[in-house]
Amino acid sequence: MQDFRGRSIGGEVAVGTFAAIPHPVAIEVTAAAGVDFICIDWEHAQISRERIEDLVRAADVHSVPAMVRVPGHAPESIAAALDAGAAGVLVPRVSTAEQARAAVQATRYPPVGARGVGPGRAAAYGYRIPDYLASANEKLLLAIQVETAEGLANIDAIAAVDGVDVIFIGPGDLSVSIDAMGPAGAKKLNVAIETIAKAAVRAGRTSGIFRPSPDDIGIWMQSGIRFFILASDTMFLGASVAAGMEAAQRNARD
């Protein structure tokens, strides 16, 4: 767990999932299922700031890294997630190099960045601040999510920003932003994804992507993508219930 950033930027394949259910039990069940990491979705799920720490703690029980997709670019949100003990953050809707640099500043302590020092859980509530400061910049993962037409246009400048570890592609928002929704826009969307992924690889960054199913992970690996967030706990729950019900109803008819 402690080398989550090192493995992520070192070229290893990592497959995690989003956590949208705001309860530690869901985190523990997911962690025990064999994921490489969990990304707590503070942006789109009904998860409050005070709940983040409990969810990160639940992942720690199983030694599974928990990162947090923060709700926006605010340094306060990034600091809150990291102070809670998260292994990293995913910053959404990064569309310019300036926004990428701001994410670096909010994630790293001086002299690399401008993150404030606080007595949070990550620093043992203030009792191990020097130890935490000595290692945080090297251990915490910063992923930025490129998911707009503006981000696509600026991808080379974004990828060149020092301090960014993972350039993560959000296909859903990207498809809307570039008018490539549905089957008719699939080719256009795939070209955009490949453009972002290859720009990340050229700049020496890890590229990542959200996939709703595992079916095409091998295909996207051919574009250099190594960091995958697969579906979410709610998506897996729904799919499993639906499959079970279908099987039960089929057996009842036979």
Side-chain angles (χ1 to χ4, degrees):
M1 182 172 69
Q2 295 301 321
D3 199 30
F4 175 51
R5 177 174 180 261
R7 288 185 284 109
S8 297
I9 66 177
E12 294 187 27
V13 175
V15 182
T17 190
F18 276 120
I21 300 172
H23 199 285
V25 170
I27 295 288
E28 286 203 60
V29 170
T30 302
V35 295
D36 292 327
F37 66 95
I38 292 171
C39 187
I40 299 166
D41 193 1
W42 191 9
E43 181 191 15
H44 287 301
Q46 300 303 309
I47 297 174
S48 62
R49 172 174 172 169
E50 59 268 23
R51 196 57 156 165
I52 296 294
E53 186 169 305
D54 287 338
L55 301 183
V56 173
R57 185 181 288 112
D60 287 350
V61 169
H62 293 275
S63 298
V64 172
M67 62 188 300
V68 177
R69 178 158 69 175
V70 293
H73 298 179
E76 296 81 8
S77 297
I78 293 172
L82 296 178
D83 285 348
V89 290
L90 174 57
V91 181
R93 302 187 70 82
V94 172
S95 299
T96 67
E98 289 76 16
Q99 291 173 344
R101 282 191 285 269
V104 173
Q105 288 290 300
T107 306
R108 310 298 184 200
Y109 287 116
V112 179
R115 180 183 169 193
V117 179
R121 175 176 177 267
Y125 303 102
Y127 292 100
R128 296 177 184 168
I129 287 178
D131 293 338
Y132 183 67
L133 291 179
S135 62
N137 283 358
E138 296 298 321
K139 289 186 177 180
L140 297 176
L141 183 77
L142 170 59
I144 59 169
Q145 190 158 330
V146 176
E147 50 188 336
T148 65
E150 184 182 12
L152 175 62
N154 292 325
I155 186 57
D156 287 324
I158 292 170
V161 174
D162 287 336
V164 170
D165 297 318
V166 176
I167 295 177
F168 187 80
I169 304 159
D173 278 320
L174 183 61
S175 70
V176 174
S177 186
I178 65 173
D179 191 23
M181 293 182 64
K187 183 176 180 179
K188 182 178 181 181
L189 178 60
N190 288 346
V191 169
I193 292 172
E194 290 179 3
T195 297
I196 296 170
K198 290 177 180 178
V201 171
R202 284 197 304 271
R205 315 291 177 203
T206 296
S207 60
I209 194 170
F210 171 79
R211 300 313 299 153
S213 86
D215 296 344
D216 60 358
I217 283 180
I219 294 173
W220 287 116
M221 285 183 63
Q222 296 174 20
S223 296
I225 295 175
R226 294 292 182 270
F227 189 92
F228 297 91
I229 298 183
L230 177 63
S232 67
D233 50 8
T234 52
M235 293 174 70
F236 280 118
L237 175 62
S240 180
V241 172
M245 293 301 296
E246 181 182 354
Q249 292 163 358
R250 185 174 59 252
N251 289 337
R253 291 192 299 267
D254 292 344

